[in-house]
Amino acid sequence: MRLFLLSLIALTALFLPQSAVAEDEKAPAPAPAEASEEERARTKELVAELRAITSEIRGLEWKKEVPAELLTRTQVRARLTKQIKKELPPEELEKMTRIIHRMGLLPKDTDPLKLALDMITSMAGGFFDPEEDRLFLIAGQDPQTLKPVIVHELLHALEDQYIDLKAQQEKLKKDPDRMFAFKCLLEGSAEQCRLLYEAREPEAALAFAKGMQTNTEAQAGQRKTMATVPAFLMLDTLLHYRTGPDFVGKALAGDYKGKMDALYANGPTTQEQVLHPERWLTENKDLPRRVVWADKFTATLEDGWSELENMSQGELDLAILLDFYLGPDDGKLSTSDMAAGRYVTAEARTAAEGWDAGRITYFDRHGSHIGLVGAW
Protein backbone atom coordinates (compact mmCIF):
# COMPACT_ATOMS: atom_id res chain seq x y z
CA MET A 1 0.00 0.00 0.00
CA ARG A 2 1.33 3.42 -0.92
CA LEU A 3 0.75 6.62 1.00
CA PHE A 4 -1.95 7.86 -1.33
CA LEU A 5 -2.26 11.27 0.32
CA LEU A 6 0.61 12.28 -1.98
CA SER A 7 -1.75 11.91 -4.93
CA LEU A 8 -4.00 14.54 -3.39
CA ILE A 9 -1.29 17.18 -3.54
CA ALA A 10 -2.34 18.86 -6.76
CA LEU A 11 1.04 20.04 -7.92
CA THR A 12 3.83 18.80 -10.10
CA ALA A 13 7.39 19.13 -8.89
CA LEU A 14 10.85 18.49 -10.27
CA PHE A 15 12.92 16.50 -7.79
CA LEU A 16 16.64 17.08 -7.77
CA PRO A 17 18.74 14.27 -9.28
CA GLN A 18 19.63 11.59 -6.73
CA SER A 19 22.97 11.07 -8.48
CA ALA A 20 24.03 14.51 -7.23
CA VAL A 21 24.00 13.32 -3.61
CA ALA A 22 27.22 12.02 -2.09
CA GLU A 23 26.28 9.71 0.80
CA ASP A 24 29.45 10.30 2.80
CA GLU A 25 29.27 14.10 2.75
CA LYS A 26 28.29 15.82 6.01
CA ALA A 27 27.79 19.39 4.80
CA PRO A 28 25.10 21.12 6.89
CA ALA A 29 22.14 22.77 5.19
CA PRO A 30 22.38 26.58 5.28
CA ALA A 31 19.68 28.57 7.03
CA PRO A 32 16.86 29.59 4.65
CA ALA A 33 16.97 33.16 3.40
CA GLU A 34 14.29 35.30 1.83
CA ALA A 35 14.81 36.12 -1.83
CA SER A 36 16.14 39.61 -2.50
CA GLU A 37 14.37 41.99 -4.86
CA GLU A 38 17.31 41.64 -7.24
CA GLU A 39 16.96 37.84 -7.24
CA ARG A 40 13.22 38.10 -7.86
CA ALA A 41 13.77 40.49 -10.77
CA ARG A 42 16.38 38.21 -12.40
CA THR A 43 14.11 35.21 -12.01
CA LYS A 44 11.15 37.07 -13.52
CA GLU A 45 13.22 38.04 -16.58
CA LEU A 46 14.49 34.48 -16.97
CA VAL A 47 11.01 32.98 -16.77
CA ALA A 48 9.78 35.41 -19.43
CA GLU A 49 12.66 34.36 -21.69
CA LEU A 50 12.07 30.64 -21.17
CA ARG A 51 8.29 30.88 -21.56
CA ALA A 52 8.59 31.39 -25.31
CA ILE A 53 11.17 28.61 -25.69
CA THR A 54 8.97 26.15 -23.80
CA SER A 55 6.01 27.02 -26.03
CA GLU A 56 8.09 26.47 -29.17
CA ILE A 57 9.46 23.11 -28.03
CA ARG A 58 6.03 21.80 -27.02
CA GLY A 59 4.15 23.27 -29.99
CA LEU A 60 1.43 24.91 -27.88
CA GLU A 61 0.63 28.61 -27.49
CA TRP A 62 0.22 30.20 -24.08
CA LYS A 63 -3.38 31.17 -23.34
CA LYS A 64 -2.27 33.40 -20.47
CA GLU A 65 0.90 34.28 -18.60
CA VAL A 66 1.74 32.27 -15.49
CA PRO A 67 3.62 34.21 -12.78
CA ALA A 68 6.62 32.82 -10.91
CA GLU A 69 7.58 33.31 -7.27
CA LEU A 70 10.59 32.42 -5.12
CA LEU A 71 10.10 30.60 -1.81
CA THR A 72 12.43 29.28 0.86
CA ARG A 73 12.08 25.59 1.70
CA THR A 74 10.43 26.59 4.97
CA GLN A 75 7.82 28.52 3.01
CA VAL A 76 7.35 25.58 0.64
CA ARG A 77 6.62 23.31 3.58
CA ALA A 78 4.14 25.77 5.07
CA ARG A 79 2.35 26.09 1.74
CA LEU A 80 2.12 22.33 1.22
CA THR A 81 0.91 21.79 4.79
CA LYS A 82 -1.85 24.34 4.29
CA GLN A 83 -2.88 22.76 0.99
CA ILE A 84 -3.01 19.23 2.39
CA LYS A 85 -5.13 20.36 5.35
CA LYS A 86 -7.48 22.06 2.88
CA GLU A 87 -7.83 19.04 0.60
CA LEU A 88 -7.55 16.20 3.12
CA PRO A 89 -10.12 16.13 5.95
CA PRO A 90 -8.72 15.13 9.36
CA GLU A 91 -10.77 11.93 9.37
CA GLU A 92 -9.23 10.86 6.04
CA LEU A 93 -5.70 11.46 7.30
CA GLU A 94 -6.47 9.58 10.52
CA LYS A 95 -7.81 6.66 8.49
CA MET A 96 -4.73 6.49 6.27
CA THR A 97 -2.43 6.72 9.28
CA ARG A 98 -4.26 3.87 11.05
CA ILE A 99 -3.94 1.62 8.01
CA ILE A 100 -0.23 2.37 7.57
CA HIS A 101 0.53 1.70 11.24
CA ARG A 102 -1.62 -1.45 11.38
CA MET A 103 0.19 -2.96 8.39
CA GLY A 104 3.53 -2.27 10.06
CA LEU A 105 4.70 0.04 7.26
CA LEU A 106 5.70 2.69 9.81
CA PRO A 107 6.21 2.59 13.59
CA LYS A 108 3.19 3.79 15.55
CA ASP A 109 5.06 6.86 16.82
CA THR A 110 5.92 7.98 13.25
CA ASP A 111 3.75 10.56 11.49
CA PRO A 112 3.43 9.67 7.76
CA LEU A 113 2.39 13.20 6.83
CA LYS A 114 5.52 14.65 8.42
CA LEU A 115 7.69 12.14 6.55
CA ALA A 116 5.98 12.99 3.27
CA LEU A 117 6.46 16.71 3.81
CA ASP A 118 10.11 16.18 4.81
CA MET A 119 10.69 14.32 1.57
CA ILE A 120 8.99 16.81 -0.73
CA THR A 121 10.46 19.95 0.81
CA SER A 122 14.01 18.57 0.93
CA MET A 123 14.09 17.18 -2.61
CA ALA A 124 11.95 19.46 -4.77
CA GLY A 125 13.71 21.92 -7.05
CA GLY A 126 10.50 23.76 -7.91
CA PHE A 127 6.82 23.13 -8.48
CA PHE A 128 3.76 24.33 -10.35
CA ASP A 129 0.52 24.70 -8.40
CA PRO A 130 -2.46 24.41 -10.80
CA GLU A 131 -4.91 25.61 -8.15
CA GLU A 132 -3.14 28.95 -7.86
CA ASP A 133 -1.91 28.82 -11.47
CA ARG A 134 1.53 29.84 -10.27
CA LEU A 135 5.11 28.59 -10.60
CA PHE A 136 7.27 28.38 -7.46
CA LEU A 137 11.06 28.06 -7.36
CA ILE A 138 13.46 27.67 -4.43
CA ALA A 139 15.17 30.90 -3.37
CA GLY A 140 18.88 31.26 -2.73
CA GLN A 141 20.10 29.67 -5.96
CA ASP A 142 21.58 31.25 -9.06
CA PRO A 143 18.62 31.48 -11.47
CA GLN A 144 20.95 30.82 -14.40
CA THR A 145 21.64 27.32 -13.04
CA LEU A 146 17.90 26.60 -12.83
CA LYS A 147 16.97 27.08 -16.47
CA PRO A 148 16.17 23.37 -17.06
CA VAL A 149 14.07 23.31 -13.85
CA ILE A 150 12.14 26.37 -15.01
CA VAL A 151 11.50 24.81 -18.43
CA HIS A 152 10.22 21.62 -16.77
CA GLU A 153 7.80 23.58 -14.56
CA LEU A 154 6.72 25.94 -17.33
CA LEU A 155 5.78 22.90 -19.39
CA HIS A 156 3.43 21.79 -16.59
CA ALA A 157 1.91 25.28 -16.50
CA LEU A 158 1.49 25.31 -20.28
CA GLU A 159 -0.15 21.88 -20.47
CA ASP A 160 -2.44 22.76 -17.58
CA GLN A 161 -4.04 25.38 -19.83
CA TYR A 162 -5.09 22.57 -22.17
CA ILE A 163 -5.78 19.52 -19.98
CA ASP A 164 -6.60 20.94 -16.48
CA LEU A 165 -4.18 19.05 -14.24
CA LYS A 166 -6.11 19.51 -11.01
CA ALA A 167 -9.39 18.22 -12.50
CA GLN A 168 -7.67 15.21 -14.05
CA GLN A 169 -5.98 14.23 -10.78
CA GLU A 170 -9.17 14.80 -8.81
CA LYS A 171 -10.96 12.24 -10.99
CA LEU A 172 -8.25 9.64 -10.36
CA LYS A 173 -7.52 10.11 -6.65
CA LYS A 174 -9.38 6.90 -5.72
CA ASP A 175 -7.62 4.90 -8.45
CA PRO A 176 -3.90 4.98 -7.56
CA ASP A 177 -3.01 2.51 -10.32
CA ARG A 178 -4.35 4.81 -13.02
CA MET A 179 -3.10 7.92 -11.21
CA PHE A 180 0.46 6.59 -11.41
CA ALA A 181 0.15 6.09 -15.18
CA PHE A 182 -1.24 9.61 -15.65
CA LYS A 183 1.50 11.21 -13.58
CA CYS A 184 4.10 9.31 -15.58
CA LEU A 185 2.74 11.04 -18.69
CA LEU A 186 2.89 14.43 -16.96
CA GLU A 187 6.47 14.04 -15.79
CA GLY A 188 7.50 12.23 -18.95
CA SER A 189 6.30 15.17 -21.03
CA ALA A 190 7.98 17.74 -18.77
CA GLU A 191 11.27 15.83 -18.80
CA GLN A 192 11.06 15.39 -22.56
CA CYS A 193 10.74 19.17 -22.88
CA ARG A 194 13.63 19.71 -20.48
CA LEU A 195 15.89 17.29 -22.35
CA LEU A 196 15.09 18.91 -25.70
CA TYR A 197 15.91 22.29 -24.17
CA GLU A 198 19.21 21.00 -22.78
CA ALA A 199 20.11 19.55 -26.19
CA ARG A 200 19.63 23.03 -27.65
CA GLU A 201 21.43 24.77 -24.77
CA PRO A 202 24.27 22.51 -23.57
CA GLU A 203 25.79 25.31 -21.47
CA ALA A 204 22.54 25.60 -19.48
CA ALA A 205 22.54 21.83 -18.96
CA LEU A 206 26.13 21.94 -17.67
CA ALA A 207 25.37 24.87 -15.33
CA PHE A 208 22.35 23.00 -13.94
CA ALA A 209 24.40 19.85 -13.28
CA LYS A 210 27.16 21.81 -11.55
CA GLY A 211 24.63 23.77 -9.52
CA MET A 212 23.05 20.58 -8.20
CA GLN A 213 26.44 19.15 -7.23
CA THR A 214 27.29 22.22 -5.15
CA ASN A 215 23.84 22.65 -3.56
CA THR A 216 24.67 21.55 -0.02
CA GLU A 217 21.16 22.30 1.27
CA ALA A 218 19.58 19.90 -1.22
CA GLN A 219 22.26 17.29 -0.66
CA ALA A 220 21.82 17.36 3.13
CA GLY A 221 18.05 17.09 2.74
CA GLN A 222 18.29 14.17 0.35
CA ARG A 223 20.72 12.26 2.60
CA LYS A 224 18.34 12.61 5.52
CA THR A 225 15.38 11.59 3.37
CA MET A 226 17.04 8.48 2.00
CA ALA A 227 18.03 7.41 5.54
CA THR A 228 14.62 7.85 7.13
CA VAL A 229 11.84 7.56 4.54
CA PRO A 230 10.83 4.01 3.55
CA ALA A 231 10.61 3.09 -0.10
CA PHE A 232 6.83 2.74 -0.15
CA LEU A 233 6.61 6.49 0.51
CA MET A 234 9.26 7.50 -2.02
CA LEU A 235 8.71 5.29 -5.04
CA ASP A 236 5.26 6.53 -5.96
CA THR A 237 6.70 10.02 -6.25
CA LEU A 238 10.25 9.48 -7.50
CA LEU A 239 9.51 6.83 -10.13
CA HIS A 240 7.45 9.27 -12.19
CA TYR A 241 10.74 11.00 -13.00
CA ARG A 242 12.44 7.76 -14.05
CA THR A 243 9.68 5.61 -15.52
CA GLY A 244 7.68 8.44 -17.09
CA PRO A 245 10.42 9.84 -19.35
CA ASP A 246 11.43 6.34 -20.48
CA PHE A 247 7.87 5.42 -21.42
CA VAL A 248 7.07 8.75 -23.07
CA GLY A 249 10.34 8.73 -25.02
CA LYS A 250 9.57 5.30 -26.47
CA ALA A 251 5.95 6.19 -27.21
CA LEU A 252 6.81 9.42 -29.03
CA ALA A 253 9.67 7.97 -31.07
CA GLY A 254 11.22 11.41 -31.53
CA ASP A 255 8.02 13.28 -32.42
CA TYR A 256 7.26 15.28 -29.26
CA LYS A 257 5.17 17.99 -30.90
CA GLY A 258 3.20 15.62 -33.09
CA LYS A 259 2.40 12.77 -30.69
CA MET A 260 2.20 14.09 -27.12
CA ASP A 261 -1.41 15.28 -27.38
CA ALA A 262 -2.49 11.91 -28.78
CA LEU A 263 -0.68 10.14 -25.93
CA TYR A 264 -2.67 12.14 -23.40
CA ALA A 265 -5.89 11.35 -25.26
CA ASN A 266 -5.24 7.61 -25.45
CA GLY A 267 -2.51 6.76 -23.01
CA PRO A 268 -1.68 3.98 -20.55
CA THR A 269 -4.01 3.37 -17.63
CA THR A 270 -1.97 1.11 -15.34
CA GLN A 271 1.41 0.86 -13.67
CA GLU A 272 2.06 -2.36 -15.59
CA GLN A 273 1.73 -0.63 -18.97
CA VAL A 274 4.13 2.14 -17.97
CA LEU A 275 6.64 -0.18 -16.32
CA HIS A 276 6.63 -2.44 -19.40
CA PRO A 277 6.22 -0.25 -22.51
CA GLU A 278 6.55 -3.28 -24.77
CA ARG A 279 3.19 -4.52 -23.44
CA TRP A 280 1.41 -1.32 -24.42
CA LEU A 281 3.25 0.06 -27.45
CA THR A 282 1.96 -2.68 -29.76
CA GLU A 283 -1.16 -3.25 -31.84
CA ASN A 284 -2.30 -5.97 -29.45
CA LYS A 285 -2.15 -4.02 -26.21
CA ASP A 286 -1.99 -5.91 -22.92
CA LEU A 287 -5.17 -4.47 -21.40
CA PRO A 288 -5.73 -4.81 -17.67
CA ARG A 289 -8.47 -6.70 -15.95
CA ARG A 290 -10.57 -5.12 -13.22
CA VAL A 291 -11.25 -6.72 -9.86
CA VAL A 292 -14.60 -5.83 -8.29
CA TRP A 293 -16.34 -7.20 -5.26
CA ALA A 294 -19.88 -8.60 -5.32
CA ASP A 295 -22.55 -6.02 -4.53
CA LYS A 296 -23.36 -7.51 -1.11
CA PHE A 297 -19.75 -8.23 -0.16
CA THR A 298 -19.73 -5.93 2.88
CA ALA A 299 -23.01 -7.41 4.09
CA THR A 300 -21.34 -10.82 4.50
CA LEU A 301 -19.09 -9.49 7.28
CA GLU A 302 -19.94 -9.90 10.93
CA ASP A 303 -21.79 -7.15 12.74
CA GLY A 304 -19.71 -4.10 13.58
CA TRP A 305 -17.47 -4.18 10.48
CA SER A 306 -17.65 -1.36 7.91
CA GLU A 307 -15.65 -0.49 4.81
CA LEU A 308 -12.72 1.81 5.57
CA GLU A 309 -10.99 2.17 2.19
CA ASN A 310 -11.29 0.52 -1.23
CA MET A 311 -8.70 1.03 -3.97
CA SER A 312 -7.12 -0.46 -7.05
CA GLN A 313 -3.73 -2.12 -6.85
CA GLY A 314 -1.05 -2.11 -9.52
CA GLU A 315 2.12 -4.00 -10.27
CA LEU A 316 4.25 -1.42 -8.46
CA ASP A 317 2.01 -1.62 -5.38
CA LEU A 318 2.47 -5.37 -5.22
CA ALA A 319 6.24 -5.14 -5.76
CA ILE A 320 6.57 -2.58 -2.94
CA LEU A 321 4.52 -4.72 -0.55
CA LEU A 322 6.56 -7.83 -1.29
CA ASP A 323 9.83 -5.92 -0.98
CA PHE A 324 8.82 -4.26 2.28
CA TYR A 325 7.82 -7.48 4.01
CA LEU A 326 10.35 -9.85 2.44
CA GLY A 327 13.33 -7.68 1.43
CA PRO A 328 16.54 -7.35 3.48
CA ASP A 329 16.62 -3.54 3.90
CA ASP A 330 13.53 -2.80 6.01
CA GLY A 331 11.89 -1.09 3.06
CA LYS A 332 14.66 1.51 2.66
CA LEU A 333 16.45 2.66 -0.48
CA SER A 334 20.04 3.76 -1.00
CA THR A 335 21.37 6.34 -3.42
CA SER A 336 23.53 3.69 -5.08
CA ASP A 337 20.46 1.51 -5.70
CA MET A 338 18.53 4.45 -7.09
CA ALA A 339 21.39 5.48 -9.37
CA ALA A 340 21.54 1.91 -10.72
CA GLY A 341 17.79 1.84 -11.33
CA ARG A 342 17.07 -0.67 -8.54
CA TYR A 343 13.99 0.09 -6.45
CA VAL A 344 12.92 -3.33 -5.13
CA THR A 345 14.66 -6.69 -4.76
CA ALA A 346 14.95 -8.94 -7.79
CA GLU A 347 12.61 -11.44 -6.11
CA ALA A 348 9.90 -8.84 -5.53
CA ARG A 349 10.21 -7.51 -9.07
CA THR A 350 9.98 -10.99 -10.61
CA ALA A 351 6.95 -11.94 -8.52
CA ALA A 352 5.10 -8.71 -9.33
CA GLU A 353 5.67 -8.98 -13.08
CA GLY A 354 2.93 -11.60 -13.22
CA TRP A 355 0.37 -8.95 -12.18
CA ASP A 356 -2.75 -8.47 -14.29
CA ALA A 357 -5.25 -6.92 -11.87
CA GLY A 358 -5.60 -6.06 -8.22
CA ARG A 359 -7.84 -4.56 -5.55
CA ILE A 360 -7.53 -4.18 -1.82
CA THR A 361 -10.22 -3.16 0.67
CA TYR A 362 -9.70 -2.28 4.32
CA PHE A 363 -12.42 -2.80 6.93
CA ASP A 364 -12.85 -1.26 10.37
CA ARG A 365 -14.53 -2.68 13.46
CA HIS A 366 -15.55 -0.18 16.14
CA GLY A 367 -12.43 1.90 15.50
CA SER A 368 -10.21 -0.68 17.19
CA HIS A 369 -9.57 -3.40 14.58
CA ILE A 370 -8.63 -3.27 10.91
CA GLY A 371 -9.05 -6.14 8.45
CA LEU A 372 -8.26 -6.35 4.78
CA VAL A 373 -9.29 -8.36 1.77
CA GLY A 374 -7.14 -8.31 -1.33
CA ALA A 375 -7.24 -9.98 -4.72
CA TRP A 376 -4.36 -9.94 -7.21
Side-chain angles (χ1 to χ4, degrees):
M1 146 139 173
R2 290 174 285 140
L3 184 60
F4 43 92
L5 69 87
L6 293 178
S7 295
L8 299 179
I9 301 175
L11 57 84
T12 48
L14 177 61
F15 287 81
L16 303 177
Q18 290 80 47
S19 58
V21 183
E23 290 191 82
D24 57 349
E25 289 185 23
K26 302 299 180 184
E34 291 279 356
S36 66
E37 289 303 316
E38 180 182 359
E39 185 182 3
R40 293 182 190 280
R42 290 201 311 269
T43 301
K44 185 176 180 179
E45 292 176 2
L46 194 57
V47 169
E49 170 193 330
L50 295 174
R51 189 178 289 113
I53 296 175
T54 303
S55 173
E56 193 278 324
I57 293 175
R58 179 61 173 87
L60 295 175
E61 296 294 328
W62 289 95
K63 295 182 179 181
K64 59 181 178 180
E65 186 174 303
V66 175
E69 292 186 15
L70 289 171
L71 299 176
T72 65
R73 294 196 182 277
T74 301
Q75 291 170 327
V76 169
R77 186 187 186 91
R79 177 174 289 273
L80 293 180
T81 302
K82 181 179 178 180
Q83 184 173 348
I84 290 173
K85 289 182 177 180
K86 177 182 176 181
E87 297 188 12
L88 190 67
E91 61 272 17
E92 285 290 312
L93 179 58
E94 190 273 339
K95 176 177 66 177
M96 295 176 192
T97 302
R98 280 186 64 208
I99 292 173
I100 289 169
H101 288 164
R102 182 64 186 88
M103 294 188 70
L105 297 172
L106 286 176
K108 287 188 176 182
D109 60 350
T110 301
D111 180 357
L113 178 57
K114 180 181 182 301
L115 276 185
L117 287 169
D118 287 346
M119 179 183 71
I120 294 172
T121 55
S122 68
M123 300 180 75
F127 65 91
F128 168 68
D129 186 338
E131 184 169 359
E132 292 195 20
D133 200 18
R134 197 173 297 268
L135 174 68
F136 295 97
L137 299 168
I138 307 301
Q141 304 176 78
D142 181 358
Q144 292 296 324
T145 68
L146 296 180
K147 285 183 177 181
V149 174
I150 296 172
V151 168
H152 177 110
E153 297 307 328
L154 281 173
L155 189 279
H156 286 314
L158 177 59
E159 290 190 335
D160 179 54
Q161 297 179 8
Y162 289 85
I163 62 176
D164 194 343
L165 301 182
K166 182 173 175 61
Q168 293 292 335
Q169 293 181 76
E170 183 68 23
K171 289 191 300 185
L172 300 176
K173 69 180 184 180
K174 287 296 185 180
D175 189 350
D177 190 16
R178 191 161 190 160
M179 176 74 87
F180 182 88
F182 177 68
K183 285 193 171 182
C184 279
L185 291 187
L186 291 181
E187 299 307 333
S189 179
E191 283 295 88
Q192 190 77 198
C193 188
R194 178 178 72 85
L195 292 172
L196 288 170
Y197 168 74
E198 289 185 346
R200 290 168 46 156
E201 302 288 343
E203 290 186 4
L206 181 60
F208 172 60
K210 288 183 176 179
M212 293 304 97
Q213 290 171 357
T214 58
N215 188 334
T216 57
E217 179 185 9
Q219 289 181 8
Q222 287 194 26
R223 284 194 302 274
K224 182 178 179 181
T225 297
M226 298 294 286
T228 59
V229 178
F232 85 92
L233 265 177
M234 298 181 66
L235 288 182
D236 184 38
T237 301
L238 295 179
L239 273 188
H240 298 134
Y241 302 87
R242 299 291 185 92
T243 305
D246 180 62
F247 178 88
V248 168
K250 291 177 180 177
L252 299 180
D255 187 6
Y256 182 46
K257 287 183 181 180
K259 293 183 178 180
M260 194 63 224
D261 289 337
L263 192 56
Y264 274 125
N266 185 29
T269 59
T270 69
Q271 298 166 8
E272 179 192 32
Q273 292 169 341
V274 177
L275 293 170
H276 307 282
E278 69 280 1
R279 300 181 189 174
W280 191 84
L281 299 173
T282 62
E283 292 185 4
N284 298 318
K285 298 186 186 306
D286 183 4
L287 300 178
R289 301 181 187 183
R290 293 292 177 190
V291 174
V292 296
W293 306 127
D295 292 341
K296 298 181 180 180
F297 177 65
T298 304
T300 65
L301 299 173
E302 295 179 3
D303 291 342
W305 286 97
S306 60
E307 185 176 298
L308 191 63
E309 187 62 62
N310 179 14
M311 69 187 75
S312 63
Q313 290 275 286
E315 180 180 322
L316 177 62
D317 300 312
L318 181 56
I320 292 174
L321 276 176
L322 292 171
D323 185 67
F324 185 88
Y325 290 117
L326 305 177
D329 300 320
D330 297 323
K332 297 288 176 37
L333 293 170
S334 70
T335 52
S336 58
D337 285 341
M338 293 284 286
R342 295 189 298 267
Y343 311 105
V344 296
T345 61
E347 292 82 0
R349 184 176 63 251
T350 300
E353 284 181 357
W355 179 93
D356 198 42
R359 178 159 296 278
I360 190 166
T361 301
Y362 298 89
F363 296 93
D364 171 78
R365 189 179 188 188
H366 304 309
S368 58
H369 298 284
I370 290 179
L372 69 87
V373 176
W376 292 269

